[in-house]
Structures are given as structure tokens and as C-alpha cells.
Amino acid sequence: LYIFLSIKPHEFFQRDGADSVVFVARDSGRFEARRITSGLTSRDWIQVLSGVAKGERIAITGVFTLKSERRKGELGEGDTH
């Protein structure tokens, strides 16, 4: 089973080195960075081969901010509470 995401622009996924990452909404109102494997792409959609399950909600706006916050946390600059 493959998932086709029909979202323009394709800014909902970010590159993190060689990986493609999306941010999946969790029940707590937070987002989890998730590595995806993509397949075919067009101007209108991206085929996701793995990393996101049908019905999961992903961030489609503010993704660059989420990625920046994630990086801060990795560098120890994020919230320490």
C-alpha cells in the first residue's frame, strides 16, 4: 500500500542530510519528525513508500520552523524543562 500526498507546494517535507523528513502530529499537540521514503513525484503529488501511515496527520505549514526547533533541541539550545 502506497500513500500519495497531493499537497502543493511540496514544502511539507524537508531534507535532513540524505533523508526526507515530515512532521507527524501526535495526540499531545506536538509533532514528531519522521523519516520517509518517497517514490514517484510530480508537480501535484508525492508517493510515500514508507514512514507515514494512512490517516496520520502531517504538518503542511510551518515546517521550516518545526525543523529549526528540532535542530535547536539536538544542539542543546531548546527548552530544558
Side-chain angles (χ1 to χ4, degrees), residues 26-81:
R26 297 174 53 181
D27 291 336
S28 62
R30 301 179 75 91
F31 288 89
E32 170 190 350
R34 186 93 53 88
R35 190 174 307 138
I36 63 166
T37 303
S38 59
L40 302 173
T41 62
S42 80
R43 291 174 45 182
D44 298 328
W45 51 263
I46 292 176
Q47 179 187 33
V48 178
L49 302 174
S50 67
V52 178
K54 183 177 180 179
E56 286 188 304
R57 297 176 300 135
I58 62 169
I60 57 172
T61 60
V63 176
F64 182 78
T65 301
L66 289 170
K67 182 180 176 184
S68 296
E69 289 299 315
R70 177 178 176 234
R71 293 241 168 178
K72 278 186 192 178
E74 289 173 356
L75 297 174
E77 299 173 8
D79 187 9
T80 57
H81 301 299

